[in-house]
Amino acid sequence: MNASQTSTSSSLLKDDSCRCNSIDQVVTSYSSKLPSRQLLQDIRLPNIVVFYISINNFNQYESRKKFSVDIQLVSYSFLIRLVNRTFSLQSNFTLIAKEASAFKCNIPVTNDFDVDGCIMNALEENDDGTKQQSSVEFIVYVYPRTKKQIQSDTDDWCMLDETGTNSNDQDDNFEVIEIQNDSILVTIKPKNNRQESFLQKATGWLHGSTNATSNNCLTKREFYQMLDPVTGRLLDEQAFRQKIFDNGCDESIRKIVWCYLLRVFHESMTNDDKKEYMVKAEEHYNVMKAAWQNRYKLNDSEIIALENLIQKDVQRTDRAVKFFDDKENSSGQKLFQILMTYSVYHPEPGYVQGMNDMAAPILYVIRDESLAYACFCALMRHMTSIFHPNGIAMNRRLDLLRKTIRAIDLELWTKIEQCDIGNLMFTYRWLLLDCKREFPFKDAFRVFETIWASLPIDRFELNNDNTLSDHDDLCPSMLCNQHRESILSSISNTILSSRSSSPTLEDAQSSLDGGDSGYRDEQIPGLSDFNSRSQRYENSTCLTSKSTLSTATCVPLGKWLIHFSSIDDENHFSDMFTIFLCVALLEQNRSSILQISHSNGDSDDFIGSYFTRLVRQHDARHALQLARNYHRQYVLFQMRIKQLLTDN
């Protein structure tokens, strides 16, 4: 190497300030929509570089590994450290970039400019003019020569220090997560490797030390700006759901927002379409309701038994809320009729205790009985399996919760096992009702809309088979004769975060303790151009024309994600935000759980009673914030795994 290059690399190698702040402080603004229910074969993510590194020892290829790396990390010194760390080299080597062109040239890599050039050369232009990155391959030629021999022979050598390594792993600003099949994910190391305890974080919440987002919810003005001023169509459903996921919506527009979230209103409906739908929905609902009411008048035993079952639960549903405790009991009667109509026309699974808890907030927000029924039916298309008597979906959620607690907080899980409450039956209510009873009644609205915005859109879709159930659910495409483009979604439809609530890169870096972030701050044209092209050619990274992609800061991924290194199926993925919300509740009460002793007698009853006393008292804002942070990491991790395992 020449003197200037040696000095630059040396300073980067020894810089112990190469840290990124925690996920609570640095978030991404990436979001997209892709087709669902299929393993994607060409996943492209902004700010993620995929490349191979092959080891050539005495002209013999020994091993080859594939890497997925945050582009913010990529530099010449990073590659040197990565090679030594992942391949445990004990000798000097030279780094060569293998060009993918027809000329098959091998280019020496000796500085940041060479690295940026390799990345830029890998950008391939498609027929439509967009660009996508093909895989880069670096070849490491290993020769056990001395420094004196190297200096006299060539300037292209990567030299080790006297101990035989470039730097200590603990000094690196990145984490290495091995997946499978020699595939490795490299992510930014969170500041201080997140050494603070969960108890410290929970205590910090009480004193406001958490980097809390502002209450920048979707306002009425902002929402109507999202609608076409002439037709009333929703212009960008993804941006709409993104905003709701981050901060929810203002109370004044919650009725129409929930109709969109639950796909009762969809993006192609005009103002006239919505009016037509509401008229026809009310007519059809009244016919359905009159049918079972006539059976009740004829003393139909099945209807009478169902009426007795539902009335008992309705009389106990949210009675502390004035809306359900009026003297005329008109709201309670509407809730009863919604549940009766649904149960009669949906005998599988029929009515199950807990459905009343999910229907009550919908009726409170929507107020219109027929429209509330349609919204409830849409929600049940997603939650029917959770309420099914066979318990398969609930057992899946319980298993996922055990796995997630064990991955994120092993100490807490060990305590839970020691107290013989590993069955987690005290969380059954949380998982069944999406934690509705754990927060104040109106705070639960924000919890629900965040969960719904996080789900793939097709969780609320109709069956598309023109069955009677579709008509009985008051699906708009069944009641209104209008053209409808069905937009399906996949794992990446879930929201990672939003620019509206996320700190900018400048804000994030200024919040770091102690000056320089440790990342490359020089404005190298190649890397800057790569970022701008990622944003400009966003459609090349997605499989739909309606995707939205933005360049963002990189998200540090926690080591706990290694427990989720297989590609989850749709059901597992759709459950995960609720799972992370449950973990957030446990962390808020972590100190109390750790204090449980065998002298408490039945630990299961003790902790069950403890959380019963906390009904409707948890802090929804902080619980949602932590759940979002975990969920962002999980979603991006799953997408990067898909990219690693499917990208050629």
Side-chain angles (χ1 to χ4, degrees):
M1 301 181 192
N2 57 41
S4 62
Q5 291 170 349
T6 303
S7 175
T8 302
S9 298
S10 176
S11 63
L12 285 172
L13 286 171
K14 295 180 180 178
D15 185 1
D16 59 3
S17 66
C18 294
R19 295 287 189 272
C20 179
N21 45 348
S22 69
I23 184 61
D24 296 328
Q25 296 172 306
V26 176
V27 290
T28 182
S29 58
Y30 170 75
S31 63
S32 68
K33 284 196 278 188
L34 300 171
S36 71
R37 295 190 177 96
Q38 58 179 309
L39 183 63
L40 304 177
Q41 297 300 317
D42 188 21
I43 300 176
R44 304 289 175 180
L45 301 176
N47 294 332
I48 300 299
V49 180
V50 176
F51 56 79
Y52 294 88
I53 296 180
S54 302
I55 299 296
N56 185 307
N57 199 346
F58 294 100
N59 294 321
Q60 296 289 328
Y61 280 94
E62 291 187 345
S63 61
R64 185 173 187 259
K65 296 183 178 181
K66 186 178 181 181
F67 297 83
S68 170
V69 180
D70 290 314
I71 198 169
Q72 190 176 349
L73 287 168
V74 176
S75 67
Y76 176 69
S77 63
F78 161 77
L79 286 178
I80 304 301
R81 286 180 285 181
L82 182 64
V83 168
N84 279 293
R85 182 165 170 177
T86 55
F87 293 98
S88 301
L89 295 184
Q90 298 299 320
S91 62
N92 298 294
F93 58 86
T94 185
L95 192 63
I96 301 294
K98 182 179 179 181
E99 195 177 62
S101 68
F103 296 102
K104 301 294 182 183
C105 299
N106 290 336
I107 305 171
V109 177
T110 61
N111 52 38
D112 289 342
F113 184 81
D114 293 339
V115 175
D116 293 337
C118 293
I119 296 175
M120 293 305 302
N121 288 338
L123 285 175
E124 298 176 345
E125 186 166 346
N126 298 324
D127 295 336
D128 58 0
T130 62
K131 293 201 174 186
Q132 66 180 26
Q133 181 213 348
S134 61
S135 297
V136 182
E137 181 164 3
F138 296 99
I139 303 175
V140 178
Y141 287 93
V142 180
Y143 295 97
R145 299 188 178 188
T146 64
K147 293 181 182 179
K148 184 176 181 180
Q149 290 173 317
I150 295 170
Q151 291 170 344
S152 63
D153 289 344
T154 180
D155 289 335
D156 298 338
W157 291 95
C158 305
M159 297 188 297
L160 307 175
D161 59 23
E162 299 297 335
T163 62
T165 61
N166 287 87
S167 63
N168 191 296
D169 289 353
Q170 295 181 352
D171 295 331
D172 289 334
N173 62 336
F174 59 90
E175 293 281 6
V176 173
I177 303 177
E178 296 189 19
I179 308 301
Q180 56 178 292
N181 301 327
D182 289 327
S183 297
I184 297 175
L185 189 150
V186 185
T187 182
I188 295 171
K189 179 184 290 184
K191 184 179 178 181
N192 296 328
N193 207 22
R194 297 180 65 89
Q195 291 297 319
E196 63 176 341
S197 67
F198 288 99
L199 177 58
Q200 289 172 327
K201 287 192 293 183
T203 305
W205 287 343
L206 299 177
H207 297 87
S209 63
T210 301
N211 182 35
T213 58
S214 61
N215 187 27
N216 189 24
C217 64
L218 180 67
T219 64
K220 184 176 183 179
R221 179 180 179 181
E222 290 173 331
F223 173 71
Y224 283 108
Q225 287 176 344
M226 292 182 171
L227 302 179
D228 186 288
V230 178
T231 65
R233 288 190 176 97
L234 184 62
L235 298 175
D236 189 342
E237 183 170 14
Q238 185 65 17
F240 161 74
R241 298 175 74 87
Q242 175 95 38
K243 182 70 173 180
I244 300 301
F245 177 82
D246 276 317
N247 287 301
C249 67
D250 186 77
E251 184 177 359
S252 62
I253 57 171
R254 183 161 278 141
K255 175 179 179 178
I256 190 170
V257 164
W258 281 22
C259 288
Y260 272 111
L261 286 176
L262 294 170
R263 304 289 288 169
V264 172
F265 293 165
H266 53 76
E267 71 287 347
S268 66
M269 292 178 72
T270 65
N271 290 330
D272 291 339
D273 292 333
K274 296 168 197 172
K275 292 178 182 178
E276 178 191 358
Y277 167 76
M278 293 180 67
V279 171
K280 291 187 176 181
E282 183 176 10
E283 293 174 353
H284 193 73
Y285 175 74
N286 288 335
V287 171
M288 295 165 60
K289 184 169 63 174
W292 65 259
Q293 288 175 338
N294 290 333
R295 291 176 59 188
Y296 180 80
K297 294 176 182 178
L298 296 174
N299 294 322
D300 187 310
S301 59
E302 182 180 356
I303 297 297
I304 291 175
L306 185 60
E307 186 267 347
N308 291 333
L309 177 64
I310 294 177
Q311 277 288 14
K312 290 179 182 178
D313 286 343
V314 168
Q315 292 171 3
R316 297 176 295 186
T317 302
D318 293 318
R319 305 305 290 181
V321 180
K322 186 177 180 180
F323 178 76
F324 293 106
D325 196 30
D326 59 315
K327 294 181 180 180
E328 295 80 13
N329 198 30
S330 58
S331 299
Q333 184 63 20
K334 289 181 180 179
L335 179 61
F336 164 74
Q337 290 171 165
I338 289 172
L339 294 171
M340 276 292 295
T341 305
Y342 176 83
S343 303
V344 169
Y345 288 90
H346 299 79
E348 183 66 27
Y351 176 75
V352 179
Q353 191 175 47
M355 288 183 177
N356 54 313
D357 277 286
M358 304 307 292
I362 293 177
L363 178 60
Y364 182 92
V365 169
I366 303 298
R367 301 300 170 103
D368 180 271
E369 185 178 339
S370 59
L371 195 57
Y373 171 80
C375 290
F376 179 69
C377 288
L379 178 61
M380 286 299 105
R381 282 196 286 274
H382 162 59
M383 297 193 70
T384 294
S385 61
I386 306 298
F387 286 98
H388 201 284
N390 62 23
I392 294 176
M394 274 302 298
N395 287 331
R396 181 186 69 239
R397 284 194 167 191
L398 285 166
D399 289 340
L400 277 175
L401 182 56
R402 295 186 191 99
K403 175 182 178 181
T404 307
I405 298 171
R406 188 186 302 114
I408 293 177
D409 191 348
L410 184 58
E411 182 184 3
L412 178 61
W413 175 251
T414 300
K415 183 63 178 181
I416 288 174
E417 284 193 313
Q418 289 174 350
C419 295
D420 197 26
I421 51 177
N423 57 13
L424 298 181
M425 291 309 296
F426 66 92
T427 67
Y428 189 92
R429 181 181 70 235
W430 305 358
L431 296 171
L432 180 68
L433 305 179
D434 283 342
C435 300
K436 181 243 183 178
R437 292 190 191 175
E438 313 318 308
F439 305 105
F441 182 72
K442 290 192 176 181
D443 287 357
F445 300 167
R446 184 65 51 86
V447 173
F448 279 1
E449 61 202 22
T450 303
I451 293 175
W452 299 341
S454 78
L455 292 169
I457 295 175
D458 56 354
R459 298 297 294 184
F460 305 112
E461 290 288 332
L462 51 84
N463 299 325
N464 286 319
D465 56 5
N466 295 321
T467 61
L468 181 62
S469 176
D470 293 337
H471 286 84
D472 295 342
D473 285 358
L474 306 186
C475 295
S477 61
M478 297 294 104
L479 298 182
C480 303
N481 296 322
Q482 57 189 14
H483 173 70
R484 178 173 183 269
E485 178 186 1
S486 179
I487 299 179
L488 299 179
S489 64
S490 73
I491 182 172
S492 57
N493 176 64
T494 301
I495 312 303
L496 293 181
S497 77
S498 169
R499 280 165 283 184
S500 62
S501 66
S502 304
T504 63
L505 178 57
E506 290 78 9
D507 294 337
Q509 290 179 339
S510 65
S511 67
L512 292 173
D513 295 331
D516 186 16
S517 66
Y519 298 112
R520 295 167 54 187
D521 55 1
E522 63 270 29
Q523 297 299 317
I524 298 178
L527 193 56
S528 174
D529 189 47
F530 177 81
N531 281 331
S532 65
R533 292 185 188 208
S534 295
Q535 185 172 12
R536 178 181 176 185
Y537 300 112
E538 58 188 33
N539 289 337
S540 67
T541 68
C542 305
L543 298 182
T544 71
S545 59
K546 295 190 177 183
S547 299
T548 302
L549 193 62
S550 59
T551 307
T553 61
C554 300
V555 179
L557 303 180
K559 282 278 192 177
W560 59 271
L561 288 162
I562 193 64
H563 297 278
F564 298 89
S565 58
S566 60
I567 299 176
D568 284 350
D569 62 30
E570 183 178 356
N571 287 327
H572 283 68
F573 175 78
S574 297
D575 287 336
M576 287 310 297
F577 191 88
T578 297
I579 298 299
F580 290 129
L581 189 60
C582 292
V583 172
L585 290 176
L586 290 172
E587 291 183 9
Q588 285 185 346
N589 297 277
R590 187 176 190 271
S591 59
S592 298
I593 297 174
L594 293 179
Q595 291 174 7
I596 297 176
S597 65
H598 296 292
S599 61
N600 294 125
D602 191 332
S603 299
D604 202 0
D605 287 345
F606 176 82
I607 197 169
S609 300
Y610 170 80
F611 280 108
T612 298
R613 293 194 298 271
L614 292 178
V615 164
R616 297 184 179 89
Q617 295 185 37
H618 286 96
D619 188 325
R621 186 171 67 90
H622 285 127
L624 284 172
Q625 179 188 341
L626 186 57
R628 288 188 191 105
N629 286 333
Y630 283 135
H631 196 251
R632 287 178 181 120
Q633 293 183 66
Y634 167 79
V635 171
L636 184 57
F637 184 72
Q638 285 282 305
M639 296 180 71
R640 289 181 67 175
I641 288 176
K642 280 192 173 185
Q643 184 186 43
L644 266 176
L645 299 182
T646 61
D647 193 16
N648 294 323

